[in-house]
Structure formats: C-alpha cells, structure tokens
Amino acid sequence: MPDHSANTSPSSPSENAGAAETVVRAMKGHGFYDRHSTPQRATIDAVLPWLEDAIANMRLTEGSPTIGVADFGCSEGRNSIAATQAVVAAVRKRTAQPILTMHTDLPLNDYSRLLTMLRPEGRSVFNVAETYSAVVGGSFYGQLLPPRSLHVATTFNSIGYLSRRPIDRLEHHVQANGPSTPDAPGSVSQEEKEAFLEQTLADMESFLRARAAELVPGGLLLLQCFGAGEVWHNCDRITDALNDALLAAVAAGRIGRAGYETYYSPFYYRTVDEMISLVATPEAPLGSLFRLDRAETFDVSVPFVEEFRRTADVAKFASAYVNFFRAFTEPQLRMAFVDRPNVDQTIDEIFAHIERLICDDPERYELHYISVAALLTRRGGAMPEFG
Ligand SMILES: C[S@@+](CC[C@H](N)C(=O)[O-])C[C@H]1O[C@@H](n2cnc3c(N)ncnc32)[C@H](O)[C@@H]1O
C-alpha cells in the first residue's frame, strides 16, 4: 500500500532509497511494458549517439580488471538490453577487457523476461566476446554497486519516479503538473507544485551521490527522463483523460471521493534546467562530482502517432496510446484502489473510458512525449558524502 502519511520535508538519501519501493509498484509485467513502450525506445534512440561519441573519447583506466556498464530502471528489459547493446559495442571498440553489464530496478519489478532475454540459447545477448551480465534489485536512490566499479551508467524514463509521496493529498488533479487541456477540470496550487519539485531535487541529489560513488573518475552518466518543455509537459493530455476517468468512477460509486483526492501519479515533470541544477556549473552543489557535458529537451516522434497520421485508423491509435499509458499507470492505480470491490473491473473501466475519449476526439488528446536529457562525466578526486 502507498505511504499516505503526511510528510513535507525531503528525506536523506538513505531514507529515500528504502521508501521508493512503497510508492512505485514497477511497471505492468508479463511482457506488457515491453510490448507497449515504443515511445520510451524512441527517446533512448535519440540520446544514445551522445554516449557513443563520448565513449569513443573517454579515458579508460588501465587498472580496472572489468569495464562496468549499468542501466538504472531496466523494467522488463527490452529497452534496457537495446540501449546496453549500443554501449557494449562502443566500449568493445575501445578495449578488449571483460565487460560486465548490470541491469537494475526495484525488487518488485518483473525480471523474468529480462533474465531469459539476457542469455538466449545459453549465450550472452550482447554477442560480444568476454561480456557478462547481472541483475540487481534495489532503489537507484541508494548505492547499488561497489565503489568505483562503473565506467558507463545510463538511466532512461525512470528517475522521474519519486522516492516518496511529498504531500498527503493532491485534491484536484491526478498529476502534480496539473491540467493542460483547454476546459479540463482541476487545478494544482503553486505550493503543491513546489513540494513536488523539492522532492524531485532531493531525489536527484540522492541519485547523483550514489552514482558518483559507483563511477570511476572519468566515468560517464547519461540521464534521460520524461519531463517538461516550454509548452508541453509529458503525456499531459492523456493525463487529463485519466483525471476525467477517475472523476467518472467517483460519480459511478466505483471509487470514493477521498480515494480520488489521495491518489496521484508518483512523478513530477521537471524542466531540463531543474534536472541539471545540481551540476550545471563547477560551483553548483554537486558540480565538484560531475561535469555537465550536454543537456537538451526534446519532443520525440512516437511510432504509433506517426502511423495514425498515415492511416487515420483512430481505433488502432487509441488502443496503442492507452496500452502505452496503461503499462506505467495501472500498477500505481491498483496499489491505490486495491481495497475496492471489483478492482480489476474498475481499472478496466478507467482505461476503457480513456480509450473512448481518445476515439471521440483524437486531436484533443494529442501525445507529446517530452524528454529531458543530460550527459555527465564523473570528475576525479573526492568520493561523495552521504547524508
Ligand atoms: C517507465 S519504466 C522505464 C523502463 C526503461 N528504462 C525504458 O526506458 O523503457 C520506469 C522504471 O523505473 C523503475 N523505478 C522507479 N523508481 C525506481 C527506484 N527508486 N529505483 C529503481 N527503479 C525504479 C520502475 O520500476 C520502472 O521499471
């Protein structure tokens, strides 16, 4: 069950590390996330060339017996393996040393497909000599790997998930960035938004300190996550549709008003400036640990949106769109409403409601998958201090 205790101050990195498991229930498993995450894959493909270029020029320390490569927030694994394949290929061009790939996520994540996919027919999926893999369960807001064991770290579409609920209730919308569709009901106050932003910054600090401990000096960290641009924030229109669907469930007596007011999505869409603020300059709070090499915001082109533009098949579009949204939304809804009678039926109705809204007016629910990304290099010298 989610932690609903009222709590307003950001916690220390070590507290954050444990709390994440109580507020995020991984993704919808049994292959569902893997089948419905093509937008996430498109965002990964957009930033991988940054890393490939940086690996071509990075300093690889002679002393390390093994080159460590880790992906944080691997989910069911399809996208994690695809991204790591590019990293392994780039590293192998630079050195013949053994490579260890590590795929990490919360302990409750469904790892079954990943474990199978890593060694199809008993051989490493990476198909590159001397490459080995491991899976590590734990919150990425704490240190998961030995000190200075990592040369290249990636995280995609994951560090937006908060380690804890920054406020007890978000009474008038399901998401802390608030409504975006013209005429959409609901609101989020400035004070509420600030509580989320503060938690996002505290989590970012925990994440960066943990990775700073794990990375060798000169090691690379590629951060990519859903976020906010100047006009859109990620998935804002379909999030308004979720808000409508939950209000309809309240009106139908499926969920109580108090349940609606207590539920909210466990993330806040931040801008790229908010994401890099801790490392933007050498004088920034963690500027002595990381050098910022590059940062960008982008609105990636989504395959099923492109297909809809070509075919105008609205039913197919709405189904793909809702399944993509459902893959990362359903587990949190289930956690919030698990004690309601007929929770499965209620959840099916919520997503069916959203699908109807999209079919009726696809233009109103246009999809923007907004990404924020940054490439950092671990500076040499001091190890981070943990609070
Ligand atoms: C949207 S999925 C992204 C999966 C994959 N990286 C991709 O881009 O397709 C987000 C993942 O982050 C994981 N996650 C969320 N909070 C986490 C935490 N504190 N520690 C580790 N993993 C976390 C979730 O369990 C989920 O698998």
Side-chain angles (χ1 to χ4, degrees):
M1 285 295 291
D3 174 10
H4 288 169
S5 58
N7 221 337
T8 49
S9 63
S11 46
S12 72
S14 51
E15 284 170 330
N16 284 348
E21 288 149 34
T22 61
V23 299
V24 180
R25 175 62 61 86
M27 302 293 100
K28 189 166 162 62
H30 306 290
F32 195 90
Y33 180 82
D34 266 0
R35 285 195 300 279
H36 301 292
S37 52
T38 52
Q40 291 89 332
R41 173 65 187 272
T43 64
I44 293 171
D45 289 346
V47 289
L48 275 176
W50 301 10
L51 197 52
E52 290 166 323
D53 288 352
I55 291 169
N57 297 306
M58 84 185 282
R59 187 163 52 93
L60 282 170
T61 35
E62 298 285 313
S64 306
T66 302
I67 302 298
V69 170
D71 183 39
F72 292 89
C74 60
S75 189
E76 294 199 291
R78 191 185 64 122
N79 290 345
S80 181
I81 287 177
T84 306
Q85 243 150 0
V87 175
V88 166
V91 169
R92 186 47 85 233
K93 283 188 196 153
R94 295 289 321 282
T95 174
Q97 282 169 277
I99 300 171
L100 176 61
T101 80
M102 290 160 279
H103 306 264
T104 88
D105 207 291
L106 292 170
L108 287 174
N109 180 53
D110 182 353
Y111 290 100
S112 47
R113 284 171 54 81
L114 173 61
L115 288 165
T116 310
M117 284 189 294
L118 280 171
R119 289 192 70 77
E121 294 160 22
R123 298 164 60 116
S124 167
V125 67
F126 297 109
N127 204 21
V128 165
E130 290 288 310
T131 301
Y132 306 88
S133 294
V135 169
V136 180
S139 171
F140 50 47
Y141 294 125
Q143 189 177 333
L144 294 175
L145 306 173
R148 298 193 174 176
S149 61
L150 200 51
H151 297 73
V152 182
T154 55
T155 181
F156 304 104
N157 304 294
S158 299
I159 49 167
Y161 286 87
L162 300 173
S163 66
R164 60 192 282 281
R165 289 169 59 91
I167 58 177
D168 194 29
R169 298 149 73 83
L170 191 66
E171 286 183 24
H172 302 297
H173 204 260
V174 293
Q175 211 276 320
N177 295 76
S180 74
T181 318
D183 314 326
S187 61
V188 175
S189 72
Q190 197 52 32
E191 204 183 357
E192 287 168 330
K193 285 185 184 173
E194 276 162 18
F196 279 83
L197 181 57
E198 200 181 329
Q199 185 61 49
T200 306
L201 289 173
D203 286 345
M204 193 67 193
E205 178 170 355
S206 303
F207 185 89
L208 290 174
R209 284 190 186 280
R211 301 299 79 76
E214 296 162 347
L215 281 160
V216 298
L220 299 169
L221 172 57
L222 179 63
L223 305 167
Q224 177 278 328
C225 197
F226 38 76
E230 280 179 21
V231 179
W232 304 95
H233 52 258
N234 188 54
C235 292
D236 45 11
R237 296 291 164 92
I238 195 170
T239 303
D240 286 345
L242 173 63
N243 194 56
D244 289 345
L246 287 190
L247 288 173
V250 172
R254 286 271 184 210
I255 58 174
R257 178 81 203 176
Y260 166 80
E261 290 178 356
T262 310
Y263 170 81
Y264 58 76
S265 311
F267 34 75
Y268 178 71
Y269 297 124
R270 69 194 132 184
T271 64
V272 72
D273 287 344
E274 288 163 349
M275 184 168 87
I276 62 173
S277 62
L278 294 167
V279 291
T281 64
E283 294 72 39
L286 300 187
S288 63
L289 297 178
F290 287 102
R291 184 186 75 218
L292 174 65
D293 298 326
R294 185 169 179 177
E296 267 177 44
T297 307
F298 53 97
D299 186 348
V300 81
S301 152
V302 170
F304 60 75
V305 174
E306 296 305 317
E307 189 182 338
F308 175 52
R309 289 202 179 113
R310 277 196 317 275
T311 64
D313 184 339
V314 71
K316 196 169 175 197
F317 168 67
S319 165
Y321 194 177
V322 168
N323 282 333
F324 147 73
F325 189 60
R326 186 168 184 160
F328 61 89
T329 311
E330 179 180 321
Q332 325 302 331
L333 279 172
R334 189 172 289 284
M335 192 161 59
F337 299 113
V338 70
D339 54 352
R340 298 299 302 171
N342 304 322
V343 63
D344 289 337
Q345 193 186 338
T346 301
I347 286 176
D348 283 345
E349 280 174 11
I350 287 168
F351 289 104
H353 186 112
I354 297 173
E355 196 162 332
R356 274 196 308 279
L357 290 174
I358 296 171
C359 276
D360 289 349
D361 191 353
E363 300 309 324
R364 181 176 167 92
Y365 296 103
E366 67 184 289
L367 171 58
H368 290 272
Y369 198 96
I370 306 293
S371 267
V372 290
L375 180 65
L376 312 183
T377 298
R378 175 72 168 99
R379 293 186 195 272
M383 293 289 277
E385 284 175 18
F386 284 93

